[in-house]
Amino acid sequence: MAIRPKLGQHFLSDEAALERIAKAASRPGDTVVEIGPGHGALTRHLVSTARRVVAVELDAKLAEALSDQCGRPGNLEVICKDFLHCHLPDLVSQATSDQNVVTGNLPYYITSPILRSVFSAHHLFRSATFLVQEEVANRTVAGPGSRAYGFLSCLCHLYSEPRKLFTVPPGAFSPRPNIRSAAVQFVLRKQAPPRGLLAFLSACFRAPRKTLRNNLVRRYPRDSVAADPCAGLRAQQLGIEELAAMWRRIQPSPSTD
Ligand code: SAM
């Protein structure tokens, strides 16, 4: 079957790495959504323990062959679709959210949109376990003081407890990518972050080398921003709690009319 590099088709062939991802991703009795099953290298591990596996593959030829390649297991459902166009509540039952998980060796060209899509459905899943570029994995888990810390780190920490699990070298894939990969797990929080906080954090990190004052002054009340004790710092110097406290301080006061 022809490989389609534009779809991020780097197939993982290291059995030990596949087994580690499957073990970290799901427990017996889970419903597992797998993003980009490809030839089923990870799917075969998942169907052996999960109650149900819903595999979403965009490449029609791969999707068509998947069930046969996995030995036609009764607990495998294949959906041929762009994961980003899936309505996630249609894939899993909300009633079993503690037993729903999502996983995949991700197509790296859409890692961020996939993370946003999963976070927007955080209440449906217990956890998300992904193989991503190592540089992205580092950004998801980073905290203040690290060069990798930025808006993506805040997004991941607000919706989950992120944890880097292990790295995977380029030689574990076919064809070989020219970057290292890492498995990362997000244990999803039940509660969504407060409305408005994400937009504020995005503005804080818009130009990471600029001060918070310069990044925020056009979007938030000028006087409150200028007077804030953190206005002269850069977002990278502050943790999420400190940034959230600044956001609360500069909110316009409720009208008393
Ligand atoms: N899971 C397999 C493995 O580990 O060998 C394949 C992983 S490969 C990195 C990424 C897979 O995602 C490919 O099979 C690709 O066709 C599929 N894919 C790419 N874009 C997709 C999308 N938008 N929705 C669903 N699957 C996609």
Side-chain angles (χ1 to χ4, degrees), residues 28-116:
D30 282 347
T31 292
V32 184
V33 174
E34 186 190 359
I35 305 170
H39 295 294
L42 181 60
T43 325
R44 281 189 280 279
H45 289 270
L46 297 171
V47 290
S48 71
T49 56
R51 188 177 72 80
R52 176 174 170 236
V53 176
V54 182
V56 182
E57 173 58 60
L58 178 59
D59 184 321
K61 288 199 170 124
L62 292 178
E64 197 188 325
L66 185 64
S67 181
D68 281 347
Q69 293 201 307
C70 295
R72 293 178 169 261
N75 60 347
L76 173 63
E77 195 179 318
V78 183
I79 297 177
C80 181
K81 196 166 175 174
D82 182 338
F83 177 77
L84 298 176
H85 294 163
C86 288
H87 181 55
L88 301 190
D90 292 345
L91 304 185
V92 290
S93 154
Q94 178 152 9
T96 58
S97 66
D98 281 341
Q99 290 179 298
N100 298 335
V101 297
V102 52
T103 190
N105 168 18
L106 296 189
Y108 293 171
Y109 73 107
I110 47 168
T111 300
S112 290
I114 288 175
L115 288 177
R116 281 171 186 273

Side-chain angles (χ1 to χ4, degrees), residues 35 83-84 88-89 102 106 110-130 132 136-137 139-141 150-163 184-193 198 240:
I35 305 170
F83 177 77
L84 298 176
L88 301 190
V102 52
L106 296 189
I110 47 168
T111 300
S112 290
I114 288 175
L115 288 177
R116 281 171 186 273
S117 161
V118 168
F119 290 152
S120 71
H122 63 102
H123 55 289
L124 288 178
F125 299 101
R126 184 181 74 237
S127 67
T129 308
F130 296 134
V132 299
V136 175
R139 288 202 277 134
T140 66
V141 299
F151 177 66
L152 182 65
S153 328
C154 293
L155 184 71
C156 293
H157 282 89
L158 284 172
Y159 278 103
S160 74
E161 282 177 42
R163 197 160 62 100
V184 62
Q185 183 163 65
F186 306 92
V187 176
L188 294 161
R189 300 186 194 281
K190 291 285 173 230
Q191 226 178 344
L198 288 176
I240 299 175

